[in-house]
Amino acid sequence: VTDLSASGTANCYIISEAGTYKFTPNKGSSSESVGSISSVEVLWETFGTDVTPNVGDLVKNVKYADGAISFDTPSAFKEGNAVIAAKDASGNILWSWHIWCAKEGYQEHTYANNAGILMDRNLGAASSTPGNPKAIGLLYQWGRKDPFVASSHIEDETPAAMAACEPYSIVERTSETGTIEYAVAHPNILITLTTPTGTDRYDWCVDADTKGNERWQPRKTIYDPCPPGWRVPDGGENGVWMTAGFPVGINGEFDKTNLGMSFSAGLTGSFSWFPATGFLDTHISNDISLPLLLSSTGYQSSLWTTTLNEEYDDRAYSLKIDPDNSPNGGYVNPMSYSGISIGNPVRCMKEDSNNGVASEEIIDLINKDNNCILGLATGSTPIGVYDLLVKAYNEKRVSFKNVKK
């Protein structure tokens, strides 16, 4: 039995071959238990295509015993995604976990200027090949840990086929449904809002000023959707794509055959494919009975970051690609932002891959000149760097005895 949580717990685990697996059912990356588990089950499975899987095609024999959730794959391993839920004695969902089945796994792409290390594909994608619908991956409402399926084709909005014990549904945001607790207990429900006007917010969460701020941060939170050791990247002026030197504006051609962009700007020695995934449009004003509200597949993509816009805190920065504003397409904007009720893809960043570089540079400087002056920035962005400096101090790798601030 392979312990997927041996290196740390998370809300997502990736597997690349057939076998028996287990994980500790904590809340995301924390040590906090999800509570008293009475039963576990697979909520849904998908290949990410228009082929409907049979129940158990990806994961089966899900059990809870001896403080761990375990499952098997068929001997003939298949690629796709599944979600496993733990329930209490009343049948209420306590927590849920995404199982990402991908033979290739992923490759690490190093971004320029010590911006960080990102995966070569979107979260949930089984391919990074241009034109392959399996490269689309999954979609997430900002701050939620649980995924929604994207399109099964690169050029239209047909949702990927699912085998579902509990199929998707949609609710409008209210004081009851627009909470983190509701989202955790209903991972298959997309929380929508009528088109905001006036003082309405582009946010699925009504308690954003309190618990809502705990959702995604410049460090891995219990609601982060990425596998162990990875997290949602930072955005804005100091985010990964701006730091790496991604230009705002025209940057190469939009591939009108494979519908996306492949470019190396901001990367060191590699190309990365960015498919035009489209998004889940939750800003609606009429029929909410549709199973999923996919929009702009094959036309654009906006990859989420943890960073909220400074002026509009109900919108988060994203890397946007689309064919606008150019004869050949290929418009890139690493400073774009979206209303955080929308469902966008995520491209995970290695934890501490950017903070680690910054902290090591500070440690080297202090060890060379213990009388140096250290300027301490405020806000949440440098917290990861400070955490690593504390760790280095505890490991006796650095002393701050004579450092001035």
Side-chain angles (χ1 to χ4, degrees), residues 43-44 83 93 96 144 146-148 162 164-170 183-191 291-292:
L43 291 185
W44 56 262
V83 169
I93 292 177
S96 49
R144 294 188 69 174
D146 296 295
F148 293 88
M162 305 168 66
C165 296
E166 296 190 15
Y168 283 141
S169 58
I170 295 172
V184 168
H186 301 85
N188 284 11
I189 294 183
L190 189 70
I191 303 170
L292 281 175

mmCIF file of all heavy atoms in Angstrom, residues 43-44 83 93 96 144 146-148 162 164-170 183-191 291-292:
data_model
loop_
_atom_site.group_PDB
_atom_site.id
_atom_site.type_symbol
_atom_site.label_atom_id
_atom_site.label_comp_id
_atom_site.label_asym_id
_atom_site.label_seq_id
_atom_site.Cartn_x
_atom_site.Cartn_y
_atom_site.Cartn_z
ATOM 1 N N LEU A 43 -17.323 10.394 -5.139
ATOM 2 C CA LEU A 43 -18.393 11.292 -5.578
ATOM 3 C C LEU A 43 -18.537 11.288 -7.090
ATOM 4 O O LEU A 43 -19.647 11.298 -7.625
ATOM 5 C CB LEU A 43 -18.132 12.715 -5.093
ATOM 6 C CG LEU A 43 -18.233 12.981 -3.595
ATOM 7 C CD1 LEU A 43 -18.055 14.458 -3.316
ATOM 8 C CD2 LEU A 43 -19.554 12.486 -3.039
ATOM 9 N N TRP A 44 -17.395 11.344 -7.790
ATOM 10 C CA TRP A 44 -17.449 11.316 -9.248
ATOM 11 C C TRP A 44 -16.103 10.915 -9.838
ATOM 12 O O TRP A 44 -15.075 10.992 -9.176
ATOM 13 C CB TRP A 44 -17.914 12.647 -9.837
ATOM 14 C CG TRP A 44 -17.149 13.888 -9.467
ATOM 15 C CD1 TRP A 44 -17.486 14.792 -8.507
ATOM 16 C CD2 TRP A 44 -15.937 14.382 -10.072
ATOM 17 N NE1 TRP A 44 -16.561 15.813 -8.459
ATOM 18 C CE2 TRP A 44 -15.602 15.588 -9.413
ATOM 19 C CE3 TRP A 44 -15.104 13.933 -11.088
ATOM 20 C CZ2 TRP A 44 -14.476 16.345 -9.742
ATOM 21 C CZ3 TRP A 44 -13.972 14.685 -11.416
ATOM 22 C CH2 TRP A 44 -13.671 15.875 -10.753
ATOM 23 N N VAL A 83 -13.044 12.271 -7.198
ATOM 24 C CA VAL A 83 -13.150 12.910 -5.889
ATOM 25 C C VAL A 83 -13.721 11.906 -4.895
ATOM 26 O O VAL A 83 -14.743 11.263 -5.164
ATOM 27 C CB VAL A 83 -14.026 14.180 -5.941
ATOM 28 C CG1 VAL A 83 -14.338 14.678 -4.529
ATOM 29 C CG2 VAL A 83 -13.320 15.280 -6.726
ATOM 30 N N ILE A 93 -21.191 15.381 4.271
ATOM 31 C CA ILE A 93 -19.793 15.367 3.853
ATOM 32 C C ILE A 93 -18.959 16.181 4.830
ATOM 33 O O ILE A 93 -19.240 17.353 5.092
ATOM 34 C CB ILE A 93 -19.641 15.912 2.425
ATOM 35 C CG1 ILE A 93 -20.285 14.953 1.420
ATOM 36 C CG2 ILE A 93 -18.160 16.122 2.074
ATOM 37 C CD1 ILE A 93 -20.247 15.439 -0.012
ATOM 38 N N SER A 96 -13.445 16.332 1.454
ATOM 39 C CA SER A 96 -13.290 15.570 0.220
ATOM 40 C C SER A 96 -11.904 15.806 -0.368
ATOM 41 O O SER A 96 -11.270 16.829 -0.098
ATOM 42 C CB SER A 96 -14.380 15.940 -0.797
ATOM 43 O OG SER A 96 -14.488 17.336 -0.941
ATOM 44 N N ARG A 144 -11.703 27.770 -3.334
ATOM 45 C CA ARG A 144 -12.294 26.452 -3.045
ATOM 46 C C ARG A 144 -11.290 25.354 -3.363
ATOM 47 O O ARG A 144 -10.525 25.450 -4.314
ATOM 48 C CB ARG A 144 -13.582 26.238 -3.838
ATOM 49 C CG ARG A 144 -14.701 27.170 -3.442
ATOM 50 C CD ARG A 144 -16.014 26.805 -4.120
ATOM 51 N NE ARG A 144 -16.570 25.540 -3.641
ATOM 52 C CZ ARG A 144 -17.773 25.072 -4.010
ATOM 53 N NH1 ARG A 144 -18.518 25.770 -4.868
ATOM 54 N NH2 ARG A 144 -18.223 23.925 -3.540
ATOM 55 N N ASP A 146 -12.119 22.138 -4.043
ATOM 56 C CA ASP A 146 -12.688 21.066 -4.856
ATOM 57 C C ASP A 146 -12.879 21.489 -6.311
ATOM 58 O O ASP A 146 -13.339 22.600 -6.592
ATOM 59 C CB ASP A 146 -14.022 20.618 -4.268
ATOM 60 C CG ASP A 146 -13.851 20.007 -2.883
ATOM 61 O OD1 ASP A 146 -13.214 18.952 -2.794
ATOM 62 O OD2 ASP A 146 -14.327 20.612 -1.903
ATOM 63 N N PRO A 147 -12.555 20.591 -7.245
ATOM 64 C CA PRO A 147 -12.599 20.940 -8.671
ATOM 65 C C PRO A 147 -13.957 20.724 -9.314
ATOM 66 O O PRO A 147 -14.807 19.985 -8.802
ATOM 67 C CB PRO A 147 -11.574 19.969 -9.273
ATOM 68 C CG PRO A 147 -11.698 18.733 -8.413
ATOM 69 C CD PRO A 147 -11.982 19.247 -7.014
ATOM 70 N N PHE A 148 -14.124 21.359 -10.465
ATOM 71 C CA PHE A 148 -15.250 21.118 -11.355
ATOM 72 C C PHE A 148 -14.680 20.716 -12.712
ATOM 73 O O PHE A 148 -13.611 21.184 -13.104
ATOM 74 C CB PHE A 148 -16.118 22.370 -11.489
ATOM 75 C CG PHE A 148 -16.825 22.745 -10.221
ATOM 76 C CD1 PHE A 148 -16.212 23.567 -9.282
ATOM 77 C CD2 PHE A 148 -18.097 22.270 -9.950
ATOM 78 C CE1 PHE A 148 -16.856 23.906 -8.099
ATOM 79 C CE2 PHE A 148 -18.748 22.604 -8.774
ATOM 80 C CZ PHE A 148 -18.124 23.420 -7.836
ATOM 81 N N MET A 162 -19.058 12.254 -16.899
ATOM 82 C CA MET A 162 -18.752 11.825 -15.540
ATOM 83 C C MET A 162 -19.540 10.577 -15.159
ATOM 84 O O MET A 162 -20.668 10.384 -15.599
ATOM 85 C CB MET A 162 -19.099 12.937 -14.534
ATOM 86 C CG MET A 162 -18.467 14.272 -14.795
ATOM 87 S SD MET A 162 -19.221 15.548 -13.770
ATOM 88 C CE MET A 162 -18.710 15.019 -12.138
ATOM 89 N N ALA A 164 -21.048 9.618 -11.770
ATOM 90 C CA ALA A 164 -21.246 10.406 -10.555
ATOM 91 C C ALA A 164 -22.238 9.746 -9.617
ATOM 92 O O ALA A 164 -23.359 9.422 -10.014
ATOM 93 C CB ALA A 164 -21.729 11.809 -10.912
ATOM 94 N N CYS A 165 -21.798 9.553 -8.375
ATOM 95 C CA CYS A 165 -22.730 9.151 -7.326
ATOM 96 C C CYS A 165 -23.563 10.349 -6.913
ATOM 97 O O CYS A 165 -24.739 10.222 -6.572
ATOM 98 C CB CYS A 165 -21.971 8.607 -6.111
ATOM 99 S SG CYS A 165 -21.030 7.108 -6.445
ATOM 100 N N GLU A 166 -22.940 11.515 -6.909
ATOM 101 C CA GLU A 166 -23.627 12.752 -6.570
ATOM 102 C C GLU A 166 -23.315 13.776 -7.654
ATOM 103 O O GLU A 166 -22.284 14.443 -7.619
ATOM 104 C CB GLU A 166 -23.180 13.260 -5.202
ATOM 105 C CG GLU A 166 -23.545 12.309 -4.068
ATOM 106 C CD GLU A 166 -23.325 12.934 -2.704
ATOM 107 O OE1 GLU A 166 -23.170 14.175 -2.630
ATOM 108 O OE2 GLU A 166 -23.327 12.189 -1.719
ATOM 109 N N PRO A 167 -24.173 13.893 -8.672
ATOM 110 C CA PRO A 167 -23.887 14.787 -9.809
ATOM 111 C C PRO A 167 -23.870 16.246 -9.395
ATOM 112 O O PRO A 167 -24.373 16.635 -8.342
ATOM 113 C CB PRO A 167 -25.041 14.494 -10.774
ATOM 114 C CG PRO A 167 -26.132 13.957 -9.915
ATOM 115 C CD PRO A 167 -25.461 13.200 -8.816
ATOM 116 N N TYR A 168 -23.280 17.054 -10.276
ATOM 117 C CA TYR A 168 -23.190 18.485 -10.038
ATOM 118 C C TYR A 168 -24.568 19.131 -9.970
ATOM 119 O O TYR A 168 -25.508 18.714 -10.645
ATOM 120 C CB TYR A 168 -22.427 19.165 -11.168
ATOM 121 C CG TYR A 168 -20.945 19.002 -11.119
ATOM 122 C CD1 TYR A 168 -20.223 18.810 -12.284
ATOM 123 C CD2 TYR A 168 -20.248 19.053 -9.926
ATOM 124 C CE1 TYR A 168 -18.846 18.679 -12.269
ATOM 125 C CE2 TYR A 168 -18.874 18.922 -9.889
ATOM 126 C CZ TYR A 168 -18.174 18.730 -11.069
ATOM 127 O OH TYR A 168 -16.827 18.600 -11.031
ATOM 128 N N SER A 169 -24.664 20.177 -9.170
ATOM 129 C CA SER A 169 -25.841 21.029 -9.183
ATOM 130 C C SER A 169 -25.393 22.460 -8.924
ATOM 131 O O SER A 169 -24.214 22.718 -8.666
ATOM 132 C CB SER A 169 -26.879 20.584 -8.149
ATOM 133 O OG SER A 169 -26.327 20.589 -6.850
ATOM 134 N N ILE A 170 -26.320 23.391 -8.996
ATOM 135 C CA ILE A 170 -26.000 24.813 -8.906
ATOM 136 C C ILE A 170 -26.956 25.471 -7.924
ATOM 137 O O ILE A 170 -28.161 25.177 -7.914
ATOM 138 C CB ILE A 170 -26.129 25.476 -10.295
ATOM 139 C CG1 ILE A 170 -25.072 24.906 -11.248
ATOM 140 C CG2 ILE A 170 -25.978 26.984 -10.202
ATOM 141 C CD1 ILE A 170 -25.247 25.364 -12.683
ATOM 142 N N ALA A 183 -19.523 25.290 1.278
ATOM 143 C CA ALA A 183 -18.705 24.841 0.148
ATOM 144 C C ALA A 183 -17.989 23.533 0.469
ATOM 145 O O ALA A 183 -17.912 22.635 -0.376
ATOM 146 C CB ALA A 183 -17.695 25.921 -0.229
ATOM 147 N N VAL A 184 -17.466 23.404 1.678
ATOM 148 C CA VAL A 184 -16.782 22.172 2.082
ATOM 149 C C VAL A 184 -17.756 20.997 2.113
ATOM 150 O O VAL A 184 -17.438 19.894 1.667
ATOM 151 C CB VAL A 184 -16.117 22.351 3.466
ATOM 152 C CG1 VAL A 184 -15.662 21.011 4.036
ATOM 153 C CG2 VAL A 184 -14.931 23.299 3.355
ATOM 154 N N ALA A 185 -18.958 21.229 2.625
ATOM 155 C CA ALA A 185 -19.952 20.166 2.759
ATOM 156 C C ALA A 185 -20.661 19.842 1.447
ATOM 157 O O ALA A 185 -21.341 18.813 1.360
ATOM 158 C CB ALA A 185 -20.991 20.548 3.812
ATOM 159 N N HIS A 186 -20.474 20.686 0.433
ATOM 160 C CA HIS A 186 -21.140 20.481 -0.865
ATOM 161 C C HIS A 186 -20.137 20.687 -2.002
ATOM 162 O O HIS A 186 -20.243 21.640 -2.779
ATOM 163 C CB HIS A 186 -22.322 21.444 -1.017
ATOM 164 C CG HIS A 186 -23.372 21.297 0.042
ATOM 165 N ND1 HIS A 186 -23.285 21.941 1.260
ATOM 166 C CD2 HIS A 186 -24.519 20.558 0.072
ATOM 167 C CE1 HIS A 186 -24.340 21.623 1.991
ATOM 168 N NE2 HIS A 186 -25.102 20.786 1.304
ATOM 169 N N PRO A 187 -19.149 19.802 -2.118
ATOM 170 C CA PRO A 187 -18.100 19.990 -3.141
ATOM 171 C C PRO A 187 -18.611 19.890 -4.569
ATOM 172 O O PRO A 187 -17.928 20.325 -5.494
ATOM 173 C CB PRO A 187 -17.112 18.865 -2.821
ATOM 174 C CG PRO A 187 -17.928 17.819 -2.130
ATOM 175 C CD PRO A 187 -18.935 18.578 -1.318
ATOM 176 N N ASN A 188 -19.803 19.329 -4.765
ATOM 177 C CA ASN A 188 -20.353 19.175 -6.111
ATOM 178 C C ASN A 188 -21.308 20.299 -6.499
ATOM 179 O O ASN A 188 -21.938 20.246 -7.541
ATOM 180 C CB ASN A 188 -21.110 17.846 -6.221
ATOM 181 C CG ASN A 188 -20.162 16.677 -6.341
ATOM 182 O OD1 ASN A 188 -18.960 16.828 -6.148
ATOM 183 N ND2 ASN A 188 -20.690 15.513 -6.651
ATOM 184 N N ILE A 189 -21.415 21.316 -5.648
ATOM 185 C CA ILE A 189 -22.345 22.401 -5.930
ATOM 186 C C ILE A 189 -21.582 23.668 -6.296
ATOM 187 O O ILE A 189 -20.731 24.148 -5.543
ATOM 188 C CB ILE A 189 -23.274 22.661 -4.735
ATOM 189 C CG1 ILE A 189 -24.188 21.451 -4.520
ATOM 190 C CG2 ILE A 189 -24.102 23.917 -4.956
ATOM 191 C CD1 ILE A 189 -25.197 21.622 -3.401
ATOM 192 N N LEU A 190 -21.896 24.200 -7.462
ATOM 193 C CA LEU A 190 -21.328 25.464 -7.930
ATOM 194 C C LEU A 190 -22.163 26.605 -7.354
ATOM 195 O O LEU A 190 -23.389 26.629 -7.518
ATOM 196 C CB LEU A 190 -21.352 25.500 -9.451
ATOM 197 C CG LEU A 190 -20.610 26.637 -10.144
ATOM 198 C CD1 LEU A 190 -19.105 26.469 -9.992
ATOM 199 C CD2 LEU A 190 -20.984 26.686 -11.623
ATOM 200 N N ILE A 191 -21.503 27.513 -6.652
ATOM 201 C CA ILE A 191 -22.213 28.623 -6.011
ATOM 202 C C ILE A 191 -22.190 29.826 -6.951
ATOM 203 O O ILE A 191 -21.130 30.378 -7.235
ATOM 204 C CB ILE A 191 -21.569 28.971 -4.658
ATOM 205 C CG1 ILE A 191 -21.554 27.733 -3.743
ATOM 206 C CG2 ILE A 191 -22.326 30.112 -3.978
ATOM 207 C CD1 ILE A 191 -20.731 27.909 -2.490
ATOM 208 N N PRO A 291 -26.259 22.229 -16.155
ATOM 209 C CA PRO A 291 -25.352 21.429 -15.321
ATOM 210 C C PRO A 291 -24.037 22.134 -15.038
ATOM 211 O O PRO A 291 -23.500 22.044 -13.956
ATOM 212 C CB PRO A 291 -25.141 20.160 -16.151
ATOM 213 C CG PRO A 291 -25.480 20.558 -17.558
ATOM 214 C CD PRO A 291 -26.564 21.573 -17.436
ATOM 215 N N LEU A 292 -23.511 22.828 -16.001
ATOM 216 C CA LEU A 292 -22.308 23.636 -15.814
ATOM 217 C C LEU A 292 -22.360 24.793 -16.802
ATOM 218 O O LEU A 292 -22.858 24.643 -17.915
ATOM 219 C CB LEU A 292 -21.037 22.820 -16.050
ATOM 220 C CG LEU A 292 -20.586 21.894 -14.913
ATOM 221 C CD1 LEU A 292 -19.386 21.077 -15.365
ATOM 222 C CD2 LEU A 292 -20.236 22.668 -13.661
#
